[in-house]
Amino acid sequence: ALGLFTGIGLSETKARETLRNGALSELLRRAVLQARSALGPSLDKATGMLLYNAAARLRDPKHLGFLVGYIARREIVTDLQLSAALEYVRSHPLEPLDTADFERACGIGVCVSPEQIEEAVEAVISEHRAELLAHRYHFNMGLLMGEARTRLRWADGKTIKNEVDLQVLHLLGPKTEDDLEKKPKAAKARLAPAEKQKVAVVENGEVATETRSLLEQLRGEALKFHKPGENYKTEGYVVTPNTMALLKQHLAVTGGQVRTRFPPEPNGILHIGHAKAINFNFGYAKANGGVCFLRYDDTNPEKEEEKYFTAIREMVEWLGYQPYAVTHASDYFDQLYSWALELIRRGQAYVCHQKVEEIKGHNPPPSPWRDRPMEESLLLFEDMRKGKFGEGEATLRMKLVMEDGKMDPVAYRVKFTPHHRTGDKWCIYPTYDYTHCLCDSIEHITHSLCTKEFQARRSSYFWLCNALDVYCPVQWEYGRLNLLYTVVSKRKIIRLVETGAVRDWDDPRLFTLTALRRRGFPPEAINNFCARVGVTVAQATMEPHLLEACVREVLNEQAPRAMAVLEPLKVTITNFPALKALEVLVPNFPANESRGFHKVPFQPTIYIEGTDFREEADKGYKRLAPGQPVGLRHTGYVITVQNIIKDAGGCVIELEVTCAKSEMTEKPKAFIHWVSEPLTCEVRLYERLFLHKNPEDPSEVPGGFLSDLNPDSLRLVPNALVDSSVLSAQPFDKFQFERLGYFSVDPDSKEGKMVFNRTVTLKEDPGKA
């Protein structure tokens, strides 16, 4: 085989590399032997490269002999023709191929004369004559080549280039010294913020430059997706004699529209990983002018609750998306049952009595009931529906082997549990493997986007649609999004709630979407984070601080400023400059004062942060200390310590200070925040819930995730002081407390006692792992 491959012009290294790929080397061996039988044992390198490219790039091996025949007859002689041939057979999956149409598409028999090339190049140069004369040899000659190739698709590229060079020389004459000088690169103009988002976006194979949000700048695997109706161009897609007719019907229903779906199970609250799925499904549809369904996968009534249905839709809409339609797998239970009967009639499913324990794992024993008569399975399946079998006594299984080697997945099982929507109508419920692809088919989904762990189900996805002869969408898998220092498993979150480690699913230390909303994360920040992670096949495990950076970016623009003190220290200004309180104007957004101001009272008694005062100023300490005055933010005054008052235990409880106009004193080393006539509020300060990056990893946390809880993940400040400008704030309103961080109003707030959650600090804490 090595000699066979080097004999067609492959280097020994390339030949050995090819041999390591069993499928490719077998196809190439067949191609070379077929070509040799027509051309003799000696093949030139050009023919050898065409054979290699045909074997490497052909998706459906059944067309190999057909293409090699054209190469061996010297009818396909260029890589351009081969590319056209490969595209043609990919676009026409059903046999027999129309050879006349194929040959027209591949330029077979087309002879382009030197005169035609000369005329085409002459016409192109004539169109660009003025620019050529102006820029001479600095003109982009590739443009001339490209336009000439467009006019003469099957002409030889080298011949066109030689003709372009000849005619340009005739027009401009030999190169001068100026022509040989390198053209200086033009300085790149800095883009205005709005222009930065003008990007080249590939939509259904075509490039368009439009202004798009971060969310819509889809990249990675999404660029490879098929156009609606061209499902058969996807690698691995199974084509049947009825595929093209079904795709034609599909296009009649959708009008060529992209259709996606977000299919959550209503048995828990969505988490940060679901945010990526929501963004991808809704975002891909939106970027391509399509629609996205919200479809609840409600096939397991034991774990489903109304609160989950409601919370899922709330979170989808909170992230900024409106479903095209809200559907349920249960909407289709009657149709799914009818198809199950049809599957049995076609000999593709059977009733099995193996126990759940017997068929678990990847190598269960084959079912002794696999070959039971179709009529018997029909009767037994009807008995399952009527409740004549107990739970676990019978299942309906499909006759196929999945990609991971698992044999005969279950399609239906018995469950005597009333359903949230269908009540007691059913005591058999379909499984994910049976339901999902058929619901996608019913809703004419074009791109069924799911995470990588479902790749093993792709074979059953295609198999089931084709076994029932219904429209078959394409399943595309992408890498899921995980975060360090957290758990997102529903079962584990329930354990955290049950043990009191967190209050509920929306505890701000979790990374469920309801928890992130409660903590104050804006939906735009979550969407931006998902867009930056991108869409790739590889699983992405991210540090929480990357999400927090997106939060800061958004809140810096959205959260108005206020002043708050977490550890109050009373300060009395003994020479206050007025008989009554002054009003200080504080900008809502200091970087842009056009966005308004709010008023803060300034009176003789104020409160500062306890950490902003020291009795002795160490080297580098810039805040208030005896002999070291500081400015009060927004007031225009500087204060100087005159007297320190302590309690019986020696703790500082009050400072007496004097104030002076800032223009009358030296510029202080620092300006500190303060409050006067403040509101007493509760502030909740959050840190990571777990101590280790991977709390579920036994090698990192041998005692299990519950043993890894951070005892300092929540610190309550029951009597923080906040300026009165926040008095009318509602739950989820967000503020930047100057110098402290971003905070959000918690729903626990009540009249007389507001509660704030710290969303993030102003800067990433360098002390965090």
Side-chain angles (χ1 to χ4, degrees):
L2 185 65
L4 192 70
F5 293 168
T6 54
I8 63 168
L10 294 185
S11 67
E12 186 173 334
T13 303
K14 188 69 176 176
R16 290 188 184 280
E17 182 186 312
T18 303
L19 283 169
R20 285 197 290 271
N21 185 330
L24 172 58
S25 57
E26 174 56 24
L27 287 181
L28 184 56
R29 188 186 68 81
R30 282 165 47 192
V32 172
L33 293 177
Q34 180 183 338
R36 275 184 167 184
S37 67
L39 297 172
S42 180
L43 299 178
D44 62 86
K45 187 172 182 178
T47 302
M49 287 303 99
L50 287 172
L51 294 173
Y52 178 83
N53 286 332
R57 293 159 57 190
L58 185 64
R59 288 189 174 176
D60 191 344
K62 71 184 178 187
H63 294 302
L64 182 69
F66 177 78
L67 294 181
V68 171
Y70 278 93
I71 294 170
R73 293 193 296 273
R74 311 284 194 198
E75 292 174 314
I76 290 178
V77 293
T78 67
D79 197 58
L80 187 66
Q81 284 183 299
L82 178 62
S83 294
L86 289 166
E87 177 58 29
Y88 187 92
V89 297
R90 192 161 69 99
S91 303
H92 298 76
L94 299 183
E95 293 185 317
L97 293 175
D98 183 333
T99 53
D101 188 46
F102 170 80
E103 290 175 1
R104 275 194 300 275
C106 302
I108 289 169
V110 176
C111 182
V112 181
S113 68
E115 291 76 19
Q116 287 175 300
I117 293 175
E118 184 180 343
E119 287 173 10
V121 172
E122 194 174 300
V124 170
I125 287 180
S126 176
E127 288 178 11
H128 295 280
R129 183 182 177 86
E131 296 167 89
L132 269 164
L133 290 171
H135 299 285
R136 292 182 56 78
Y137 287 97
H138 290 303
F139 183 81
N140 178 12
M141 303 300 171
L143 180 65
L144 305 179
M145 277 285 299
E147 290 189 15
R149 288 296 294 265
T150 302
R151 292 167 187 249
L152 299 172
R153 185 181 178 191
W154 305 114
D156 179 67
K158 287 182 180 177
T159 307
I160 290 178
K161 184 179 185 309
N162 290 338
E163 185 62 32
V164 167
D165 291 343
L166 187 66
Q167 291 198 30
V168 168
L169 180 64
H170 181 72
L171 175 66
L172 303 179
K175 289 183 178 180
T176 65
E177 286 187 16
D178 287 344
D179 294 328
L180 293 170
E181 279 187 18
K182 284 188 176 180
K183 192 175 180 181
K185 288 185 178 179
K188 288 185 179 178
R190 294 190 70 177
L191 294 176
E195 292 177 308
K196 285 183 182 177
Q197 293 185 359
K198 286 191 177 179
V199 293
V201 179
V202 179
E203 291 187 9
N204 292 334
E206 297 179 8
V207 178
T209 302
E210 294 183 28
T211 300
R212 298 206 173 277
S213 69
L214 277 171
L215 154 68
E216 292 165 325
Q217 293 174 29
L218 297 171
R219 55 193 185 274
E221 291 303 296
L223 304 187
K224 303 175 186 176
F225 288 174
H226 65 283
K227 292 181 183 178
E230 294 188 353
N231 305 27
Y232 55 85
K233 290 188 177 181
T234 304
E235 192 167 354
Y237 190 80
V238 179
V239 176
T240 71
N242 204 25
T243 293
M244 303 312 281
L246 289 168
L247 288 173
K248 189 175 180 182
Q249 293 169 16
H250 160 71
L251 288 173
V253 171
T254 67
Q257 178 187 57
V258 166
R259 288 188 169 199
T260 60
R261 81 291 165 271
F262 173 56
E265 295 179 71
N267 62 357
I269 300 295
L270 302 182
H271 55 69
I272 188 66
H274 291 113
K276 177 178 178 179
I278 293 168
N279 271 277
F280 192 17
N281 277 288
F282 283 89
Y284 183 73
K286 181 180 178 183
N288 290 281
V291 297
C292 183
F293 291 71
L294 169 58
R295 185 204 309 141
Y296 294 107
D297 180 23
D298 56 343
T299 57
N300 194 0
E302 294 167 328
K303 298 181 180 179
E304 293 160 11
E305 293 182 41
E306 174 61 31
K307 67 177 182 179
Y308 298 137
F309 285 86
T310 304
I312 286 169
R313 181 162 186 176
E314 273 183 9
M315 288 301 98
V316 168
E317 293 177 349
W318 178 64
L319 288 176
Y321 299 106
Q322 283 296 327
Y324 169 71
V326 177
T327 59
H328 306 74
S330 56
D331 295 340
Y332 312 120
F333 276 180
D334 289 316
Q335 176 64 73
L336 295 172
Y337 177 73
S338 297
W339 274 337
L341 295 174
E342 181 62 24
L343 203 62
I344 297 170
R345 291 189 195 101
R346 295 185 178 206
Q348 303 284 17
Y350 62 95
V351 172
C352 173
H353 303 290
Q354 284 178 296
K355 303 295 181 189
V356 174
E357 304 75 41
E358 292 180 75
I359 58 176
K360 271 186 177 178
H362 286 289
N363 295 300
S367 172
W369 293 279
R370 196 172 200 265
D371 297 319
R372 79 186 330 159
M374 172 263 291
E375 295 81 3
E376 188 179 330
S377 280
L378 283 172
L379 290 171
L380 291 170
F381 190 50
E382 179 65 11
D383 287 344
M384 285 173 62
R385 188 184 70 81
K386 290 178 178 177
K388 294 184 179 179
F389 287 104
E391 292 189 13
E393 290 181 1
T395 57
L396 182 70
R397 295 176 69 181
M398 298 176 279
K399 289 186 181 179
L400 80 147
V401 179
M402 298 172 74
E403 283 185 28
D404 60 359
K406 190 172 182 180
M407 194 170 180
D408 296 359
V410 172
Y412 272 86
R413 70 276 204 220
V414 176
K415 284 183 181 290
F416 293 106
T417 305
H419 189 275
H420 174 75
R421 299 183 72 247
T422 61
D424 293 322
K425 179 178 178 181
W426 300 94
C427 65
I428 55 170
Y429 292 99
T431 62
Y432 174 91
D433 288 322
Y434 178 76
T435 307
H436 192 70
C437 61
L438 297 180
C439 289
D440 282 352
S441 179
I442 292 168
E443 293 176 353
H444 284 275
I445 301 304
T446 56
H447 300 77
S448 182
L449 309 174
C450 59
T451 47
K452 198 70 177 170
E453 64 263 33
F454 292 98
Q455 184 170 340
R457 266 103 165 218
R458 192 199 299 176
S459 55
S460 68
Y461 188 105
F462 291 158
W463 177 88
L464 184 51
C465 289
N466 291 326
L468 289 167
D469 211 16
V470 297
Y471 161 69
C472 183
V474 178
Q475 175 175 306
W476 289 93
E477 304 92 11
Y478 61 92
R480 66 184 294 166
L481 169 62
N482 292 323
L483 276 186
L484 298 172
Y485 296 101
T486 191
V487 297
V488 294
S489 154
K490 294 165 186 170
R491 182 175 57 82
K492 288 176 181 173
I493 291 174
I494 288 171
R495 291 282 294 126
L496 289 170
V497 174
E498 288 173 346
T499 58
V502 297
R503 292 172 57 184
D504 208 338
W505 288 81
D506 65 348
D507 187 296
R509 289 166 289 181
L510 296 173
F511 281 85
T512 60
L513 294 185
T514 50
L516 295 178
R517 177 179 64 172
R518 185 165 189 168
R519 184 159 173 170
F521 281 37
E524 301 93 325
I526 295 172
N527 293 343
N528 290 349
F529 174 66
C530 292
R532 290 179 188 183
V533 170
V535 181
T536 59
V537 174
Q539 177 173 294
T541 301
M542 312 299 289
E543 291 270 5
H545 70 78
L546 299 173
L547 172 57
E548 291 168 3
C550 293
V551 171
R552 290 186 188 94
E553 281 182 17
V554 172
L555 290 183
N556 187 49
E557 297 296 321
Q558 289 186 358
R561 279 34 170 186
M563 290 191 288
V565 172
L566 301 186
E567 298 176 21
L569 174 59
K570 184 178 178 182
V571 175
T572 300
I573 304 173
T574 58
N575 65 334
F576 193 73
L579 296 175
K580 60 179 182 178
L582 301 174
E583 279 191 339
V584 173
L585 284 179
V586 177
N588 295 328
F589 295 89
N592 182 3
E593 293 190 353
S594 66
R595 295 179 70 180
F597 293 79
H598 60 273
K599 293 177 180 178
V600 174
F602 178 42
Q603 60 179 11
T605 298
I606 64 172
Y607 296 87
I608 67 170
E609 200 70 62
T611 53
D612 280 343
F613 170 73
R614 285 186 189 174
E615 291 188 71
E616 293 183 15
D618 299 334
K619 186 179 179 182
Y621 181 75
K622 295 181 179 180
R623 281 164 276 174
L624 186 62
Q628 183 167 291
V630 294
L632 295 178
R633 287 179 67 79
H634 310 297
T635 64
Y637 284 93
V638 173
I639 59 172
T640 303
V641 176
Q642 301 298 328
N643 187 30
I644 300 171
I645 301 170
K646 301 182 180 182
D647 64 12
C651 295
V652 177
I653 58 171
E654 185 180 349
L655 300 176
E656 290 180 346
V657 302
T658 55
C659 71
K661 281 278 190 182
S662 54
E663 60 264 26
M664 307 295 292
T665 64
E666 285 187 26
K667 185 178 179 181
K669 290 184 178 181
F671 288 83
I672 63 173
H673 63 279
W674 53 277
V675 292
S676 182
E677 292 185 26
L679 304 173
T680 301
C681 304
E682 179 181 310
V683 170
R684 299 169 182 173
L685 304 176
Y686 297 100
E687 300 292 345
R688 288 174 181 155
L689 183 58
F690 295 99
L691 297 170
H692 289 82
K693 285 188 174 184
N694 301 291
E696 298 169 274
D697 184 348
S699 63
E700 205 169 320
V701 186
F705 72 101
L706 288 175
S707 71
D708 194 47
L709 294 169
N710 176 8
D712 300 318
S713 62
L714 170 61
R715 181 164 71 90
L716 293 179
V717 182
N719 294 305
L721 302 179
V722 185
D723 77 49
S724 55
S725 65
V726 304
L727 182 60
S728 60
Q730 299 299 309
F732 306 118
D733 283 354
K734 298 161 185 61
F735 298 89
Q736 184 195 112
F737 290 168
E738 296 196 30
R739 298 177 61 222
L740 297 179
Y742 293 101
F743 291 77
S744 177
V745 181
D746 190 88
D748 285 346
S749 296
K750 54 183 181 287
E751 191 173 347
K753 191 65 176 279
M754 297 181 74
V755 179
F756 286 90
N757 296 317
R758 183 171 66 189
T759 305
V760 287
T761 53
L762 290 179
K763 294 180 181 178
E764 183 190 344
D765 184 350
K768 285 184 180 179

